[in-house]
Amino acid sequence: MCGLALTGTVASTLPDPTGSGPERTAVVTEPECPPGTVARLADPGAGAVPDSGELTPEQAARYHGELRAALRSLRSHEIAPPANTVPVVVHVISATDGRGHVSDARVDAQIDVLNTAYSGGYDEVGADTGFRFTLAEVTRTEDDAWFSDFSGHRDAIRARLRRGGPETLNIYTADLGSGLLGYSSFPQDYATAPERDGVVIAHDTLPGGDRERFDLGHTGTHEVGHWLGLFHTFQNGCLTPGDYVHDTPYEREAAAGCPKGRDSCPHRRGLDPVTNFMDYSDDDCMTHFTQGQARRMAEHWTAFRSPRDL
C-alpha cells in the first residue's frame, strides 16, 4: 500500500524556487511504493489503495533538481514541445469474457480528448501547450490475470508490450479496481527504468466508458501530464514551493467533485485550481492547463524525452 497524505515523521526544508519567499518546512511520509508512481483517485479521501503513491516533498524536490540539472547541460537547446506529434501506442488488456474491451472508436476518442486538452482545453484561460498526439498502434491482449491484476504482472506486461523510446507514449488499459483511476511514470526515471515508462488507466475511464464522474477521458489527460513531468496542483499543500509552477495557486489538498470557489490556502494568492487537469476533480469540472504548466512540460520534453537525445 502506498501512502497518500503529506504527514509523517521526516521533515524537509524546501526553498522557494522563485527566491521571493522564505523557506518552509514540510512534514513528509516515507515512500511505501517506488518513486514515479503517481495516481489519480476516484475518491481522494477514501484512504490508500494499491499503486496510489503521492510524491513526498523530498521526492518532488529531487525530481525538480534533476530537471534543473538536465536543463543546465542543455543551455544551447531551445526549450519547446516536440516539433512533431507524440506517437501513442495504446495497449488494451481485457478479460476473456469481454470485460475491458475498448473499441477502436473509444481509443480514437481518447486521442481526440488529449489533443483538445493540450491545445487549449475547454476554457478561454487554457494554455495551448504545443503538444499534439497521434495514434501509432493499438495492441490487444486477452488475459484474465493481466486484466484483473495489472500491478501484479506489470513487469511482464511491459516487457512484452511496450514500444518505442522515451518519446513514445505507451498507454495501458485494464481493470484497476474501484478506487484507482490511473497512474504514470515520470520522465526523469526513463534513463534508469525504461521498461516502466508509460501511463496506466482504468479501461472504463476512456470516453464512452461507464465510470461515473470519470468517463470523459481526463484520467488520460491527467496521467499524460505526469508523463510530461507535471506534479499534482496540491503537491506540498500550502507550503512552498507547491507544485513548482508559478501560475497555479496553492492548494492544501486534492479536490473531489467540483468545489469551485474553494480557498484552502487563504494566505496564498488565488482560489484552489480545481478546474486544472492536474487536480482530482470530476472529469466535467476539468478544463485547462496553465502557461506555466505548458512551459514545465516543454522543459521536461527537452531534458528527457526529445528524440534529439536518442
Side-chain angles (χ1 to χ4, degrees), residues 291-308:
Q291 291 290 347
Q293 288 174 315
R295 171 71 179 184
R296 192 165 177 85
M297 287 188 278
E299 289 177 338
H300 279 84
W301 181 269
T302 301
F304 303 110
R305 295 205 181 278
S306 174
R308 163 191 53 74

Side-chain angles (χ1 to χ4, degrees), residues 207-231:
D210 57 4
R211 179 66 71 98
E212 185 178 1
R213 299 165 45 213
F214 304 104
D215 59 356
L216 301 180
H218 289 319
T219 293
T221 303
H222 178 101
E223 297 305 337
V224 172
H226 289 313
W227 186 80
L228 291 170
L230 295 183
F231 299 143

Side-chain angles (χ1 to χ4, degrees), residues 34 37 49-51 93 143-159 174-177 180 183 196 200:
T37 304
V49 295
D51 295 308
I93 300 170
D143 188 298
D144 291 334
W146 285 14
F147 173 70
S148 62
D149 184 16
F150 183 97
S151 294
H153 299 87
R154 61 186 172 190
D155 290 344
I157 293 171
R158 289 169 171 171
D175 180 11
L176 303 184
L180 184 60
Y183 57 95
R196 292 183 56 193
V200 184

